[in-house]
Structure formats: structure tokens, C-alpha cells
Amino acid sequence: MICPGCGSAGVRAVPEICADHASIRDGLADRLAQSPGAPSGFDRCLHFVEGMVMAGMGVALAYSGLDNHKPLYTIGGSLLAVLLFVGTIVVVRGEGRERAVVEAGESRTDALWRSAYYCCGCASVFCPGGTPWQGLLTPEQFKKFMWTEAGHGKQLEEQFKDVDLPPGILTGPGGTQDHA
Ligand SMILES: [Zn+2]
């Protein structure tokens, strides 16, 4: 495969780059990321266990207050346990919603993202044959394209405000331009 921009043969599939440790280290994977990262099921499970362990410490404090006749420990420990328990549920549920939004967005952009190639010679992103989208994009344009398409446009960092997509490329759910 040859880059349509500079004719270089140094092209790699975007999903392959994003899975490559060297690209993750040098930041290229992040520049071509399909969507904002979201906590995995494992992270959420871990956060739940951490929260419950800390709530358990509050319960232990409350019990030690009962045993040692220190009502302040009992009240403080109980409050701490309740706060940590409720807080953990709120955080873990929020992470679940975040994950669901990212997964829904990824399913919308999957075909676009998987057909993209990156040229190491001129640092541009393209689809062989011009489908499903045409032309050369910079990694910044590509990321804005993917994120806007998936509905995460608002989460793009400040530096993407000035990145304009070529006219004609579809953006936003339903293919509407997010700005004129
Ligand atoms: Zn090139």
C-alpha cells in the first residue's frame, strides 16, 4: 500500500498503531484515538472493592467506639461508612454510564476508524480507495472527525477548537456539521 499524499510505502493501519506499545509511549496512539478512554469493567470492579473496603473501615471504627464507649468514634465511623458506601455507588454507576456512551460512539465510528491508515512519511491519515471517507487528514483532523462523529466533540481538548475538517466529510450523529 502507498500513501496517496507522498507516495511513501511507510503506512500502517490505525487500529494497529493504537494497539502498539511504542506508539502509546510516543503519543501517536493518543493522537489517533477513536474515543476518549472510559473505565473498563475491571476498573469499576476495583473501584467498588476499594470503596467497600474503606466503608468497612468506617464500620470497624464505629464498632471500636461501641466497645470502648467512645460515642464520637461510633458516630464518625457510621457517617464515614454511609458516605463512602453512597459515594462508591454513585461513582461506579457514573463510570458505567460513561462506558456505555463511549461504547455506543465506538460502534458508530468503528467502520470509519478500522479502515483508516496512517502514513509515517507525511503524518497523514487516509482510507485506501477513498472509502468510506476521502482525502488526507492530519491526525488532529482525524481525531476531531472520529470524536465528533461519535458524539464526544465536547470532550476534545482546547487545541482542537481551531482544527477544521475538510468540507464534505460527515461529522456529528446523522452527518450534520457541528459548526458552519
Ligand atoms: Zn504520506
Side-chain angles (χ1 to χ4, degrees), residues 87-153:
T88 303
I89 300 295
V90 169
V91 166
V92 171
R93 282 184 58 147
E95 287 177 347
R97 273 196 298 272
E98 206 182 310
R99 180 78 235 163
V101 167
V102 166
E103 275 170 6
E106 283 183 354
S107 69
R108 273 203 295 277
T109 52
D110 226 33
L112 298 170
W113 189 71
R114 289 193 186 284
S115 42
Y117 282 78
Y118 174 78
C119 170
C120 307
C122 63
S124 48
V125 189
F126 63 94
C127 287
T131 48
W133 48 274
Q134 286 193 333
L136 295 165
L137 298 178
T138 65
E140 285 67 33
Q141 284 176 319
F142 175 71
K143 187 167 170 179
K144 185 166 185 173
F145 178 34
M146 286 301 119
W147 286 35
T148 313
E149 200 69 26
H152 312 304

Side-chain angles (χ1 to χ4, degrees), residues 1-3 6-12 17 118-124 126:
M1 192 176 304
I2 298 280
C3 166
C6 66
S8 153
V11 296
R12 293 173 69 198
I17 291 175
Y118 174 78
C119 170
C120 307
C122 63
S124 48
F126 63 94

